[in-house]
Amino acid sequence: MSSSNASTRFSFLDRSRTREGHDAPQALRDTVALAGAAEALGYHRFWVSEHHSVPGVAGSAPTVLAAAVAAATCTIRVGTGGVMLPNHQPLVVAEQFGVLASLFPGRIDMGLGRSVGFTDGIRRALGRDKEDADAFAGQLAEVLGWLDGTQQTHPQVHALPAEGLRIPPYVLATGRGAAIAAGAGLPLVVGDLRGRDKLIRAVETYRSDFRPSVWGAEPYVIVAGTVAVAATEEEARRLLIPEAWSMAYARTHGTFPPLAPAERIEALAMTEKERALFEDGLRGHLAGTEDAVAAGIEAVVRETGADEVLVTTSTYDREALVDSMRRLAGIAGIS
C-alpha cells in the first residue's frame, strides 16, 4: 500500500444493474445489500444513480433508494451519483434531500448531474428536452439557495425541512460540469478512468477555475471508474465481461440486456462489430491482481491529485464483486 493510496478515500457507486434470472426489484434489493458490504469493509460513501426507462438499470428514483440504503446501514455516508437536476424541480430536490438529511443526520450527500433522459420519448415523458441541460448552472444555484435560505425567485416559499441544513453538494462532470462545479465552489465527481487525458484536463480546469464558496474553501476531486481486483488477471477480466458485453449489445441493438454470466458471454458467436465493441469495453479499466491495481490507483491519484476514488463496477457475480471490493479495501488500507 502506497502513502498516496493510504491518504485517499474510497467509495462505491452502484447502478442497480439487472442480471439474468434476477429482476429489477431484486436489483434494487441487491443494491441495498451491497451497501451493507461496503460499510463493513470501511468504504467512505455509497451512492446510487438515476436512469429513466433504461432496460437493464433498475435505479430510477435515487432519493428513494438512498433512503432504503441509509436505513439499512449505520455509519457509511449515503448519496446520489446523481440526481439529474434538469429532470426535476429544484424545490422538490431540495425538499427530498432535506427529508433524507433529517432522517439520517450527518450521513447524506447530494450528488447532482446535468443529464436529461437519453431518448426523445423519455424526455417528453419527463416534460423535458435536450436544451434543459443548459439550465443546470441556474438550477444548481437555486437548489443551493433553497438550502441556505437565500433564494429570491419565489418570495415567502421555503424548502422545508431542507432550509438551514448542511447537506454537502457534489457536481457530476458531464459536459460543462467541471466548469460549473469550479464556479460554484463545489466538489467535483469526474470519470471515467479510461479517458485519462480528458479526465486530467477536466480536473486541471476545475482546479484552476475554482472559486471558494460557503460550500468549499478549496477544490475536492473524486475520480470515478471501474475497478476489478482478483487473485489472477484472468479472474479480474471475467468481472469486466458482463458489463462490456452489455455495452456492446446496447450499441448494436439499442437496449441494455441484463448482465449475463461471463462463461455464457465467452461462448457467444459475436458479429465483427459486436466483438470489436466488446473487446474495447474490456480495455483501460483498473483490473488485475492487488499489486497491479495498487500501481494503477497510485498512477491515477498521482496524475489527477484525486482526493477520492469512486468505484462504479457492475458485474453478474455478486460474490466476486464483494471479493473485489474486499481486496481493494485491503489495498487502500481501509478494511
Side-chain angles (χ1 to χ4, degrees):
M1 179 183 64
S2 71
S3 59
S4 62
N5 288 357
S7 63
T8 304
R9 287 170 167 167
F10 286 78
S11 300
F12 200 91
L13 165 68
D14 192 49
R15 296 170 55 229
S16 302
R17 294 286 276 111
T18 60
R19 297 177 293 152
E20 287 188 356
H22 305 266
D23 60 13
Q26 183 61 52
L28 297 174
R29 293 190 291 269
D30 287 344
T31 292
V32 175
L34 194 63
E39 179 175 72
L41 290 169
Y43 282 83
H44 182 59
R45 45 181 126 242
F46 188 93
W47 283 3
V48 297
S49 62
E50 175 181 332
H51 295 83
H52 296 282
S53 189
V54 179
V57 184
S60 58
T63 54
V64 177
L65 185 53
V69 168
T73 54
C74 298
T75 58
I76 194 168
R77 297 197 64 85
V78 176
T80 55
V83 166
M84 296 301 139
L85 197 48
N87 293 335
H88 310 280
Q89 290 295 332
L91 170 62
V92 175
V93 172
E95 290 172 335
Q96 290 175 344
F97 278 97
V99 170
L100 284 170
S102 298
L103 293 173
F104 309 101
R107 294 180 57 207
I108 300 299
D109 300 323
M110 183 174 65
L112 303 172
R114 65 185 295 271
S115 297
V116 292
F118 77 105
T119 68
D120 288 339
I122 295 171
R123 289 189 288 270
R124 284 194 297 270
L126 291 169
R128 301 293 187 267
D129 57 41
K130 286 183 178 180
E131 288 68 34
D132 285 314
D134 297 332
F136 176 70
Q139 292 176 313
L140 176 64
E142 184 178 339
V143 168
L144 299 180
W146 288 119
L147 295 184
D148 63 18
T150 62
Q151 76 81 27
Q152 299 297 320
T153 306
H154 306 282
Q156 299 181 339
V157 180
H158 301 272
L160 303 176
E163 188 174 296
L165 297 181
R166 188 73 178 180
I167 308 171
Y170 298 79
V171 173
L172 277 65
T174 55
R176 300 197 309 274
I180 292 170
L186 299 180
L188 175 72
V189 184
V190 61
D192 64 44
L193 299 177
R194 299 199 303 163
R196 195 68 56 84
D197 290 342
K198 183 178 180 181
L199 184 153
I200 292 171
R201 286 196 301 271
V203 170
E204 289 174 345
T205 297
Y206 166 72
R207 285 207 173 93
S208 65
D209 294 347
F210 185 86
R211 293 187 291 183
S213 71
V214 297
W215 301 100
E218 57 188 26
Y220 189 90
V221 175
I222 303 175
V223 295
T226 296
V227 181
V229 195
T232 67
E233 182 177 342
E234 179 58 28
E235 289 178 60
R237 179 182 181 276
R238 288 171 67 81
L239 279 166
L240 303 177
I241 285 174
E243 184 70 10
W245 168 244
S246 182
M247 294 294 292
Y249 187 92
R251 292 181 64 182
T252 51
H253 296 79
T255 60
F256 288 93
L259 298 177
E263 59 270 17
R264 194 176 73 73
I265 295 169
E266 290 175 315
L268 290 174
M270 301 181 191
T271 67
E272 184 176 344
K273 183 176 182 180
E274 287 172 342
R275 176 65 63 179
L277 291 169
F278 171 66
E279 294 294 342
D280 183 64
L282 294 172
R283 299 187 185 100
H285 305 291
L286 293 182
T289 63
E290 279 100 327
D291 287 345
V293 171
I297 291 173
E298 171 76 12
V300 169
V301 173
R302 183 178 65 251
E303 293 167 3
T304 64
D307 300 284
E308 187 171 336
V309 175
L310 180 66
V311 180
T312 62
T313 310
S314 297
T315 194
Y316 177 84
D317 188 338
R318 303 295 278 198
E319 290 185 7
L321 176 58
V322 172
D323 181 66
S324 175
M325 294 170 66
R326 183 178 299 110
R327 292 174 185 270
L328 178 59
I331 292 170
I334 60 175
S335 61

